[in-house]
Amino acid sequence: MKKRCKFNSGSILIFLLAIFVTTVFVPISKVRGEGTMLKTGNYIHSPAPNGGNSPDLKESGVISSADGVLFDGTPAYAGWMGSATSHSTVNVVIDLLKDYPLDQIRLVLNSPNKYWGFKDITVKYRPESATGYYIATRHVRTGTDLNYSVTIPMSNKTVRFIVLNIRRTQAYQHIPLTEVEIDRGTGVEGQNPGPALNGDGLKAELKKEALLVDKFGQWMNETWSGKVTSEEQLQLEYAHEAIALANVSLDPTRYDQYGGIKSLGKQASTGYFRLQTINGKWWFITPDGYPFIIKGVDAASLWESGYKTPTLKPDGTYKQIFEELPDRTAYAPAYTRDAGGEYVSFVIANVMKKYGSGFESKWEDITKKRLIQWGFNTFSKWTKPKNITFPFIQSLQDPSNLRRILWTYDVFDPQSGPIIENALKTQIYNARYSKWLIGYTYDNEAGWNADIVKDLLTYSSSSPAKSAFVDFLAPRYNSNLATVNQILGTNAVSFDTLKNTPIDIAKVPAVDISEYIRLASRTYHSTIRDIIKKYDPNHLFLGTSIVPTWRTSLDWDHAAMGFVDAFSVDSYTRDGSWISRYENYGKPLLNLEHSFGSSERGLSYISAATMTTNIRERGMAYQAFAESQAAHPLFVGSGWYSYYDQPVTGRSDGESYNVGLVNQQDQPYADMVNIMKTTHADLENVHLNGG
């Protein structure tokens, strides 16, 4: 997942049908006694609501609490409509004008219909004298009720400023905010308050930070069993786990050295991993000749860049979100720098604290034993540990200097092939004799669809892709320029002129768009296949990790099938139904990124499809998902993203997901991995018997 939050295209179409409602009369709960509720002060929205009611509707400036819809006790509301470009988080900043002791804050977020809602809401506060914020709560939405409220006890805390951060589940979800009820507590109000903030001043409050994590990188606003409180605890956990795993190794009576299943019978051995059908079911065959299904883990390296978090603000000053950062001398390996600033990996710092001298080799020993015990057998995508011998897939990355088109590159550029070959040939050549290498993937989640074609049709002849389109189109209409001009609504005097003419994709017949995308796919995949086979004839080309309904098309995917040994996807879904999209092609299929998460301990899940409520439920969701995939005869393996959780404070792109088998304090999620262990033990039988 080096990337983005995904959403299903079917869901997009549903959300686009949602009606823009200006006033919806849904009930809010009865307002408490007038004497206890504060309606003083001002507030501001960021961004301005583009749904709901006036005076809040489209208002980007300061709104008086006495006049705005959030404090009026009626069903009038502020709303933020979802779209492809909508903000993932909307904010409300409230200035009470002076310090008040607060009893509680109650938020009403009533939804006009099922297309409205929110993922979670974080409520922060500060008294006037404080420079930073405190977190009052982070509430994760549960259930599907349209009428929804959240009550936050404040226990007479002193508050002048309140910030609400409300996040979407996905880009097309609409967010409602019906009412904010602030109850005064007991105690003395602030004396001689500073002046009311203007709009810029209130927006500046959004840049003020709150403490989020302790010195181990753990969420400070929640407690749980096993939460790390000392280095001694980490060291004791290592001692206990080392004893528990002391005798763990691959059982040679059941498995060959690569994890192949001996009971399924020996097949022809080539000395490298290959693919074969047995009684109508696809399998990998290990170098020793035994059937094998990938049960993989992604991003398993201790040094994985996605596990680190930025320490600096954009202005170069240090973020005030850490209770304490690891000592920069004692834990120097945990720190890195690049053009974007400084980063710290709590994973590395905690592993150093836990394992002591020679920490990496001790960690590798424990990690390999964990994975064997849990039934994993492959490093399936992205990074892997330096010295653990395990079957693996090598991810080949597209060079940064290719000619780009939106999220991908111009496959028709004659320089693309040489650039790719020059960038990748050494690592491919060096791996050609590895018996542990299963095969290669190339690029990541970057197919072609109509959006790519729409963009390149506006280019000039300096674009190889635009020229290739005209060269492709002309013979389809017998090189009859008049016919082509009539179809496209252009008046080019020659086909060379057409290459410099903007073309409206709406005028291009759908069949031509489809066939052009297929041509692009054949060009792309044949180029990569030929480069791999030129430098390494021994290993498999496993595709490009396509997201089935995002940034690709069936035309692109179908045309790839003739050039890949297996077709790989990244499918963060609930079951194996994604396979139906490809089952008519008969190609073996891999799902190299998937996981389930919950919004606990300051982290979050990736999407609604992968949401669970607790650790055990994550394991149960995995079991259902893994068995659903494995039952299909085309399925040959998958990879769980990822070994560790992402940091609570966010990686460089802001992602902060509960995706790990292990948390950033190097503690396995036992209730989940124990279910995975049971699932993995029977997965080959599920594949063999179809369920």
Side-chain angles (χ1 to χ4, degrees), residues 43 313 336 638 684:
Y43 62 93
K313 301 177 187 178
T336 55
S638 63
E684 286 85 6

Side-chain angles (χ1 to χ4, degrees), residues 478-496:
N478 298 316
S479 298
N480 188 320
L481 182 62
T483 300
V484 172
N485 274 325
Q486 182 180 16
I487 291 171
L488 300 182
T490 54
N491 57 4
V493 298
S494 67
F495 283 111
D496 283 340

Side-chain angles (χ1 to χ4, degrees), residues 434-607:
S434 171
K435 294 184 178 297
W436 295 93
L437 172 62
I438 297 172
Y440 303 92
T441 60
Y442 172 76
D443 204 353
N444 187 58
E445 301 176 350
W448 279 38
N449 60 16
D451 292 335
I452 295 289
V453 181
K454 178 181 179 180
D455 197 65
L456 68 85
L457 289 181
T458 66
Y459 297 174
S460 69
S461 62
S462 63
S463 162
K466 175 65 175 294
S467 294
F469 176 81
V470 175
D471 291 340
F472 154 83
L473 196 66
R476 291 176 66 82
Y477 295 94
N478 298 316
S479 298
N480 188 320
L481 182 62
T483 300
V484 172
N485 274 325
Q486 182 180 16
I487 291 171
L488 300 182
T490 54
N491 57 4
V493 298
S494 67
F495 283 111
D496 283 340
T497 304
L498 186 60
K499 293 178 180 180
N500 283 299
T501 303
I503 298 171
D504 181 357
I505 192 173
K507 302 290 181 62
V508 183
V511 66
D512 293 329
I513 297 171
S514 175
E515 288 301 321
Y516 176 64
I517 291 174
R518 289 170 181 259
L519 173 63
S521 180
R522 292 192 295 271
T523 304
Y524 172 100
H525 287 95
S526 63
T527 297
I528 304 307
R529 179 205 60 186
D530 291 348
I531 291 171
I532 289 174
K533 298 305 180 184
K534 177 178 180 179
Y535 294 98
D536 181 358
N538 300 319
H539 294 105
L540 302 167
F541 178 25
L542 303 176
T544 58
S545 296
I546 287 297
V547 179
T549 55
W550 185 71
R551 291 186 172 179
T552 193
S553 60
L554 267 179
D555 293 315
W556 177 268
D557 299 348
H558 186 195
M561 296 296 176
F563 304 95
V564 298
D565 297 299
F567 188 81
S568 63
V569 306
D570 291 351
S571 184
Y572 288 83
T573 50
R574 205 74 186 183
D575 57 41
S577 59
W578 63 268
I579 294 175
S580 63
R581 181 179 173 93
Y582 304 111
E583 61 188 356
N584 289 337
Y585 306 140
K587 186 69 68 171
L589 300 171
L590 290 160
N591 184 2
L592 294 182
E593 277 193 32
H594 67 85
S595 62
F596 298 94
S598 63
S599 290
E600 298 178 289
R601 308 182 185 185
L603 297 166
S604 185
Y605 54 87
I606 291 175
S607 64

Side-chain angles (χ1 to χ4, degrees), residues 380-453:
S380 45
K381 197 175 176 184
W382 305 125
T383 57
K384 64 184 182 68
K386 297 175 182 177
N387 301 303
I388 295 179
T389 302
F390 229 45
F392 70 99
I393 294 171
Q394 190 158 327
S395 301
L396 303 172
Q397 293 300 287
D398 57 319
S400 60
N401 57 335
L402 293 169
R403 185 191 296 261
R404 308 302 298 182
I405 304 175
L406 298 181
W407 57 79
T408 184
Y409 62 87
D410 189 337
V411 303
F412 296 105
D413 183 352
Q415 295 304 310
S416 291
I419 289 172
I420 295 168
E421 180 174 358
N422 187 60
L424 301 182
K425 63 183 180 182
T426 299
Q427 62 177 301
I428 296 172
Y429 182 78
N430 289 342
R432 70 194 186 282
Y433 295 133
S434 171
K435 294 184 178 297
W436 295 93
L437 172 62
I438 297 172
Y440 303 92
T441 60
Y442 172 76
D443 204 353
N444 187 58
E445 301 176 350
W448 279 38
N449 60 16
D451 292 335
I452 295 289
V453 181

Side-chain angles (χ1 to χ4, degrees), residues 71-93:
F71 291 84
D72 63 0
T74 76
Y77 68 101
W80 293 265
M81 308 301 288
S83 70
T85 57
S86 60
H87 294 78
S88 61
T89 303
V90 300
N91 309 284
V92 181
V93 184

Side-chain angles (χ1 to χ4, degrees), residues 280-294:
K281 309 290 178 69
W282 277 102
W283 299 83
F284 283 103
I285 304 299
T286 68
D288 286 350
Y290 292 99
F292 178 93
I293 289 177
I294 288 176

Side-chain angles (χ1 to χ4, degrees), residues 144-263:
T144 58
D145 289 346
L146 296 180
N147 294 338
Y148 201 92
S149 66
V150 181
T151 299
I152 305 104
M154 295 301 293
S155 305
N156 286 317
K157 292 182 174 68
T158 300
V159 178
R160 172 168 173 175
F161 298 99
I162 300 168
V163 173
L164 313 178
N165 307 130
I166 313 172
R167 294 200 298 174
R168 290 181 162 89
T169 300
Q170 47 90 355
Y172 283 81
Q173 185 177 43
H174 313 319
I175 296 176
L177 182 56
T178 314
E179 202 73 11
V180 177
E181 300 172 356
I182 301 172
D183 285 2
R184 190 194 188 286
T186 59
V188 179
E189 298 174 4
Q191 303 298 309
N192 303 314
L197 298 185
N198 61 18
D200 290 340
L202 286 175
K203 287 184 178 179
E205 292 295 304
L206 292 173
K207 297 180 180 180
K208 294 180 179 178
E209 296 171 317
L211 283 176
L212 299 180
V213 295
D214 63 17
K215 65 181 182 179
F216 298 102
Q218 299 170 116
W219 180 244
M220 294 177 64
N221 297 281
E222 187 179 341
T223 59
W224 57 86
S225 176
K227 188 174 186 179
V228 176
T229 58
S230 68
E231 294 183 20
E232 290 74 21
Q233 177 186 339
L234 286 173
Q235 292 158 8
L236 188 61
E237 288 174 354
Y238 168 45
H240 288 165
E241 191 173 16
I243 293 171
L245 297 177
N247 297 319
V248 170
S249 62
L250 207 59
D251 182 354
T253 64
R254 290 192 61 193
Y255 305 101
D256 70 13
Q257 61 179 322
Y258 305 98
I261 308 297
K262 290 185 174 180
S263 63

